[in-house]
Amino acid sequence: MKTHITLLMAAFLMIGASGCSTWEGMSHRERSAAIGAGVGGVAGAVMTDGGVLGTVGGAAVGGVIGDQIGK
């Protein structure tokens, strides 16, 4: 149940962030980093069954990967 709540919260966060006006002012690289952080955070949460360290670690790694892909 904890994993489902975490995934639901992440989905709402991503939906909310997609409607922000700042999203339009971001560069391609910044958008890639933000998307990577979101995907990495969700993946980390799922892999560690909602663990905080896994979620934050996944977001950090995903953000770095997204930044490098967005170059």
Side-chain angles (χ1 to χ4, degrees):
M1 184 65 164
K2 191 175 182 181
T3 303
H4 289 86
I5 292 172
T6 304
L7 289 173
L8 188 61
M9 288 174 46
F12 283 130
L13 179 65
M14 292 299 288
I15 290 169
S18 68
C20 290
S21 62
T22 58
W23 187 259
E24 295 167 2
M26 295 174 106
S27 69
H28 177 69
R29 190 171 182 177
E30 291 170 334
R31 271 187 247 152
S32 295
I35 292 169
V39 171
V42 170
V46 169
M47 289 174 30
T48 62
D49 198 28
V52 175
L53 187 60
T55 304
V56 173
V61 171
V64 170
I65 291 171
D67 178 63
Q68 293 303 307
I69 289 174
K71 277 187 173 181

